[in-house]
Amino acid sequence: MTVLDETTSEPSDARGRVAELHEIREQALRGPSEKATEAQHAKGKLTARERIALLLDEGSFREVEQ
């Protein structure tokens, strides 16, 4: 059970913070919204992750800080 701090409404225990960090990481891995990706493609450009995928062998790139 996550305990919320009354003043900040954020998780105050370690498990709550870890869950929050996992959600942030998942959001970063999902990348930009579909609308943003479509706008980038409409300009004839690729997203940053698409450009990285073209440059490197699959599995050879490990993102350290998202």
Side-chain angles (χ1 to χ4, degrees), residues 41-65:
H41 290 165
K43 296 177 195 174
K45 297 180 179 183
L46 299 173
T47 65
R49 285 198 171 88
E50 289 171 336
R51 292 190 304 270
I52 290 170
L54 289 174
L55 290 172
L56 304 172
D57 294 332
E58 188 171 335
S60 66
F61 177 73
R62 180 167 177 104
E63 192 168 350
V64 177
E65 292 192 30

Side-chain angles (χ1 to χ4, degrees), residues 27-51:
Q27 186 178 12
L29 291 175
R30 283 191 300 265
S33 68
E34 188 63 35
K35 184 178 177 181
T37 300
E38 288 175 8
Q40 190 77 341
H41 290 165
K43 296 177 195 174
K45 297 180 179 183
L46 299 173
T47 65
R49 285 198 171 88
E50 289 171 336
R51 292 190 304 270

Side-chain angles (χ1 to χ4, degrees), residues 2-40:
T2 301
V3 177
L4 295 179
D5 183 354
E6 298 289 330
T7 59
T8 63
S9 72
E10 298 210 6
S12 62
D13 68 347
R15 278 185 250 146
R17 183 67 177 141
V18 169
E20 181 183 354
L21 292 173
H22 282 295
E23 175 58 33
I24 291 170
R25 176 172 286 164
E26 288 174 21
Q27 186 178 12
L29 291 175
R30 283 191 300 265
S33 68
E34 188 63 35
K35 184 178 177 181
T37 300
E38 288 175 8
Q40 190 77 341

